[in-house]
Amino acid sequence: MAGHAQVVDRVFALYERFGASDYIGEPVSQIEHMSQAAQLAMAEGFDDEVVLAAFFHDIGHLCAEGAENMGGYGVVSHERLGADYLREAGFSERLARLVEYHVEAKRYLTLREPGYFERLSEASRRTLEYQGGVMSEAEADVFERDPLCAVSLRMRQWDELAKEREVPVMDLGVLKRKAEVLLSAE
């Protein structure tokens, strides 16, 4: 378990180092955003992999120092960089893919949900072009067949809701314990 605890400490250290920084173009910090996303997943009774994926969904902005920037709105391909970082740390493929899919879900919803694009924050609209733009019908058909599609779409909703000012950051110890348990099960 000591090895898992060290991995968890290393991953969460990113939040301790960079979490107070602004969440690009949004009214909350990175750590406030991540915490709110995890709390929303927990409130709906999702399993620990989903809760941690919600918390880690933007870790690619934190773990990829020096990566290409999206015109001042964070790191290009942050979803893939974050997913790969979590895979290398020993987290499950399901958790990593949920992190990766939060951008796919945005691309999907801009195609399939009327009015979705208009409801996106300015930062989310700006980053969409760097993220491949609106999905094609063919891409959307493939995404809909993925077993993780439904939970990815839910995660996307938490991502958008997790931008409230003055919501206390949750006890990260709760998430660290969940992460240790998941790593020890892998």
Side-chain angles (χ1 to χ4, degrees), residues 129-171:
E129 62 194 76
Y130 290 95
Q131 296 165 336
V134 176
M135 262 190 187
S136 68
E137 288 289 342
E139 288 173 315
D141 290 343
V142 169
F143 188 61
E144 285 172 350
R145 289 192 294 272
D146 192 295
L148 295 177
C149 178
V151 73
S152 297
L153 296 176
R154 194 73 203 116
M155 258 184 64
R156 185 70 216 174
Q157 291 170 321
W158 301 327
D159 185 4
E160 288 149 18
L161 293 169
K163 297 173 184 178
E164 296 295 318
R165 295 176 194 263
E166 298 178 29
V167 174
V169 171
M170 68 180 293
D171 175 5

Side-chain angles (χ1 to χ4, degrees), residues 73-109:
Y73 289 99
V75 173
V76 172
S77 299
H78 77 283
E79 70 283 5
R80 278 194 294 285
L81 294 168
D84 288 344
Y85 177 83
L86 293 166
R87 283 182 188 103
E88 289 166 22
F91 287 98
S92 71
E93 183 60 19
R94 178 175 178 250
L95 187 152
R97 284 177 59 211
L98 285 170
V99 167
E100 195 162 349
Y101 283 3
H102 81 279
V103 167
E104 292 301 296
K106 177 169 80 170
R107 296 181 60 229
Y108 172 87
L109 288 166

Side-chain angles (χ1 to χ4, degrees), residues 11-12 14-15 23-24 26 28-41 48-63 70 75-86 91 94-106 116 124 127 131 151-163 175:
V11 172
F12 277 83
L14 291 170
Y15 294 92
Y23 177 52
I24 308 98
E26 304 290 0
V28 291
S29 68
Q30 287 275 10
I31 193 69
E32 288 169 326
H33 177 63
M34 308 298 221
S35 169
Q36 288 177 37
Q39 287 174 299
L40 289 163
D48 289 349
E49 277 184 326
V50 174
V51 169
L52 285 168
F55 182 75
F56 290 144
H57 75 273
D58 276 342
I59 199 169
H61 289 305
L62 307 180
C63 70
M70 292 185 288
V75 173
V76 172
S77 299
H78 77 283
E79 70 283 5
R80 278 194 294 285
L81 294 168
D84 288 344
Y85 177 83
L86 293 166
F91 287 98
R94 178 175 178 250
L95 187 152
R97 284 177 59 211
L98 285 170
V99 167
E100 195 162 349
Y101 283 3
H102 81 279
V103 167
E104 292 301 296
K106 177 169 80 170
Y116 179 79
S124 286
T127 56
Q131 296 165 336
V151 73
S152 297
L153 296 176
R154 194 73 203 116
M155 258 184 64
R156 185 70 216 174
Q157 291 170 321
W158 301 327
D159 185 4
E160 288 149 18
L161 293 169
K163 297 173 184 178
L175 296 175

